[in-house]
Amino acid sequence: MLAFTALVTLSQGCQKFLDKEPLGATTQSNLFNDPVNAVQAVNAIYDVASWDQGPKFGVSDYVGQTYEWMFGDVMSDDAEKGSTPSDFSALIDLKNWTVNPSNVPSTTLWVHSFTGVARANTVINNIDDGTIDAALKSRLKGEALFLRAYFYFNLVKTFGGMPLFEKAVLPTEVASVTRSSIAETYAFIEKDLKDAVALLPEKTGYASADLGRATKGAANGYLARAIMYQLGTDNTNKHTWQEVYDLTSTVITSGKYSLLANYAAIHQTIGENSSESVFEIQFATSNDTYGPIMTGTTNNVFQNNRVATKVSSDPASANVPGTGWGYGFNNPTQNLVNEFEANDPRLEATVYKNNDIVLGLRETIDLSQNATGYLSRKVAVLVPAANQAGPQNIRKMRYADILLMKAEAAAQTSKNAEAVALVNQVRARARTSTRPPGATTVGTADNYAPTNAPAGTLPDISAGLAGQPLLNAIWHERRVELAEESLRFWDLIRTGRYFGVLPSAVAARAMSHSITTGVVNPIPLLPIDLNDAQVWKLPQNPGYN
């Protein structure tokens, strides 16, 4: 990793500094002659995808935390900032659309994404000349292409049209950097994903030690997601719902994925890289604290309870407040809780409230340190070796999402009966879920008790649904099935419902930062990084100084 980091840093600023290649050194021209080095070069791209804070690339400046839930959940009606009122005010700015070009979460997203792009480009531009095994070479290039698309997709959704880098940018070229349009950026992403599909293996083509790497299914899934997002925002590329239908059908008919039998287990350790996993970011616990390089994540500490509890077999003494290990952010709203149907087992697997038992601990929620009275159970973990190095993988795309994307595409192409069947497949799994692990007995963290839900819980949606009622049923299912998984904000934008769920003053501010002409629905955008806007001489997004 250190050798590769030095190598990438070098590639940013020099075309040539020696006439002769230094003997025994890893250089850009020989990196891909060794399979171990080649794999580590690609691992370094995945590493950036796992970053939630750390130094800027190539310099010593520190950038703060960024997590996808800060955008996908907190900027929607599914979550409030949480924690104490004064903590991390940058999240309030995101929530209220009072953000400025120095906002920490958006700036860090920008910095880390372009770091990932730079590392991916080093692989993409040099691996073909390497002498490693051809099959390994193809796979690694496919992974790099997928990851470059992944980073650019996060950028275009958040900031709009991007500078499109296919190779390292030299200092002499900085002044000539330009922003491409949103449509051009998506076309770039789509090409990378299609090229990745041709090179990547299916999920079963990897050894167990390589689970979590990009696959054909992940590339097709993200291509479907990117097209679906364009269909509701900027569809200059003239996509159709049939494309989403065909791509999701390809993932489904591959036979490599299935719904995990128990919904309550999806976000537990036993659910990592399961049959339902299409793409997830890998983590392992360690003694590391903040900043790269680390194997764990701070995602959990930011969302876990600020109030500590202690294990005791006596319920009366098992609720003792103390100094918590979590920071208490991303609190699910009552609005989200109300969306769940009566007795839906997914509700308890998604949120917990005061006095609930979570992984064998009775939880106290202190409303002076919580905005709604709820916390997310999907990210609840026992205290890791280091608070800032949680071991829980972050699920980025699940098979249930593939089924619901296909259902929406089917509904949009008059395949109503098929759309209904797909939704009912997701609901059928949900109704047979157990309670979350460790939800019944203090001191017992891993027992899955039955829900004892009454007959008729989560009935099938009607076979006769069509048109807007069918779409409403699909959108409802997406909200409760994928709650607290950072998708709600983007779903609201692409379906034209975002501004309607905001308070009027917030909606007005969001609209002032939106692209409103030549689009299907308004596209609210965050400001691009202040430093890069100035150095690269890039036009800023609407409404920002």
Side-chain angles (χ1 to χ4, degrees):
M1 278 293 304
L2 292 175
F4 183 70
T5 301
L7 170 65
V8 177
T9 305
L10 206 163
S11 72
Q12 298 294 303
C14 302
Q15 278 182 305
K16 181 179 180 182
F17 68 49
L18 289 175
D19 293 329
K20 294 184 179 180
E21 190 172 284
L23 296 177
T26 300
T27 67
Q28 200 158 275
S29 61
N30 68 24
L31 177 66
F32 299 101
N33 294 340
D34 179 87
V36 174
N37 286 344
V39 169
Q40 291 199 355
V42 173
N43 289 352
I45 316 172
Y46 286 101
D47 183 48
V48 179
S50 76
W51 288 358
D52 35 42
Q53 76 285 310
K56 283 188 178 181
F57 180 68
V59 295
S60 59
D61 293 348
Y62 185 86
V63 290
Q65 285 77 18
T66 190
Y67 309 90
E68 197 166 359
W69 53 261
M70 293 179 171
F71 311 98
D73 294 327
V74 171
M75 293 184 72
S76 79
D77 53 353
D78 272 6
E80 296 291 344
K81 172 188 80 76
S83 190
T84 58
S86 61
D87 198 3
F88 214 150
S89 60
L91 296 186
I92 289 292
D93 291 333
L94 288 174
K95 181 78 175 177
N96 293 335
W97 282 95
T98 53
V99 65
N100 62 52
S102 298
N103 177 268
V104 169
S106 62
T107 295
T108 304
L109 174 65
W110 175 279
V111 169
H112 285 175
S113 296
F114 278 112
T115 303
V117 168
R119 292 190 176 189
N121 281 339
T122 297
V123 174
I124 294 166
N125 292 325
N126 294 282
I127 196 168
D128 286 341
D129 293 330
T131 60
I132 62 172
D133 174 74
L136 178 61
K137 183 187 297 186
S138 293
R139 192 202 89 193
L140 293 177
K141 186 174 183 180
E143 292 180 65
L145 287 163
F146 170 84
L147 289 166
R148 184 168 71 178
Y150 170 84
F151 290 120
Y152 266 121
F153 185 42
N154 288 336
L155 286 166
V156 70
K157 288 188 304 176
T158 310
F159 305 105
M162 286 290 101
L164 300 178
F165 300 126
E166 294 186 87
K167 61 180 182 179
V169 179
L170 302 175
T172 55
E173 299 171 327
V174 169
S176 62
V177 170
T178 59
R179 287 187 74 175
S180 298
S181 68
I182 290 177
E184 290 167 339
T185 304
Y186 272 115
F188 185 88
I189 292 166
E190 291 168 32
K191 183 180 184 304
D192 274 0
L193 289 172
K194 290 174 182 176
D195 289 345
V197 167
L199 296 171
L200 288 170
E202 294 282 11
K203 184 176 181 178
T204 52
Y206 283 106
S208 59
D210 285 318
L211 286 179
R213 292 185 181 275
T215 62
K216 284 186 187 296
N220 277 319
Y222 268 88
L223 185 55
R225 184 179 279 182
I227 291 173
M228 190 168 74
Y229 196 70
Q230 289 174 79
L231 284 164
T233 53
D234 183 334
N235 196 27
T236 303
N237 291 325
K238 300 188 183 304
H239 286 297
T240 66
W241 279 103
Q242 187 63 43
E243 293 174 83
V244 178
Y245 180 89
D246 292 342
L247 286 163
T248 50
S249 295
T250 296
V251 178
I252 293 167
T253 58
S254 72
K256 309 302 179 184
Y257 305 94
S258 63
L259 293 174
L260 191 64
N262 187 5
Y263 184 89
I266 292 171
H267 288 87
Q268 306 305 315
T269 301
I270 61 172
E272 292 186 345
N273 301 313
S274 71
S275 64
E276 185 153 351
S277 174
V278 179
F279 186 61
E280 61 187 74
I281 306 298
Q282 310 292 304
F283 293 100
T285 192
S286 70
N287 291 316
D288 298 318
T289 54
Y290 283 113
I293 301 170
M294 60 189 297
T295 61
T297 176
T298 60
N299 185 58
N300 298 107
V301 68
F302 264 73
Q303 297 180 77
N304 268 270
N305 201 352
R306 292 181 69 100
V307 179
T309 55
K310 69 179 182 180
V311 178
S312 172
S313 59
D314 176 11
S317 64
N319 191 25
V320 181
T323 303
W325 72 276
Y327 303 156
F329 290 103
N330 195 26
N331 301 161
T333 61
Q334 188 65 49
N335 185 286
L336 170 61
V337 170
N338 293 345
E339 184 79 12
F340 287 83
E341 296 162 58
N343 302 309
D344 186 341
R346 292 174 295 191
L347 174 58
E348 190 181 24
T350 300
V351 307
Y352 65 91
K353 60 187 184 302
N354 186 52
N355 212 38
D356 281 352
I357 302 174
V358 180
L359 297 173
L361 298 174
R362 192 176 297 279
E363 295 288 342
T364 297
I365 293 183
D366 181 351
L367 291 178
S368 70
Q369 304 177 91
N370 182 285
T372 67
Y374 297 104
L375 285 163
S376 173
R377 197 186 290 256
K378 287 183 175 179
V379 293
V381 297
L382 297 175
V383 182
N387 287 4
Q388 298 83 10
Q392 186 187 46
N393 290 359
I394 299 177
R395 281 63 165 170
K396 294 293 186 179
M397 182 174 286
R398 296 198 279 114
Y399 185 61
D401 190 7
I402 298 291
L403 294 175
L404 293 174
M405 283 196 284
K406 184 176 180 180
E408 191 167 345
Q412 295 280 7
T413 53
S414 301
K415 303 178 184 71
N416 298 331
E418 186 173 6
V420 167
L422 288 161
V423 173
N424 285 336
Q425 186 178 340
V426 174
R427 290 171 69 83
R429 188 270 299 273
R431 75 171 68 101
T432 61
S433 174
T434 68
R435 298 186 68 186
T440 59
T441 306
V442 171
T444 303
D446 57 359
N447 63 314
Y448 288 83
T451 63
N452 297 317
T457 295
L458 289 180
D460 285 352
I461 64 171
S462 172
L465 280 180
Q468 193 60 51
L470 176 55
L471 287 175
N472 290 343
I474 294 167
W475 295 342
H476 160 78
E477 206 63 35
R478 286 188 64 83
R479 188 180 187 190
V480 295
E481 171 71 24
L482 304 168
E484 292 291 292
E485 295 183 38
S486 305
L487 291 173
R488 175 67 173 171
F489 174 63
W490 312 110
D491 275 351
L492 288 171
I493 291 172
R494 69 173 181 81
T495 57
R497 297 175 291 156
Y498 180 59
F499 297 91
V501 306
L502 299 176
S504 58
V506 177
R509 287 193 293 271
M511 189 63 75
S512 73
H513 299 303
S514 298
I515 296 175
T516 57
T517 59
V519 295
V520 181
N521 289 302
I523 310 171
L525 298 174
L526 293 176
I528 63 175
D529 178 74
L530 179 62
N531 180 72
D532 284 351
Q534 294 172 342
V535 173
W536 294 356
K537 297 181 173 58
L538 299 177
Q540 186 55 273
N541 281 330
Y544 300 104
N545 296 324

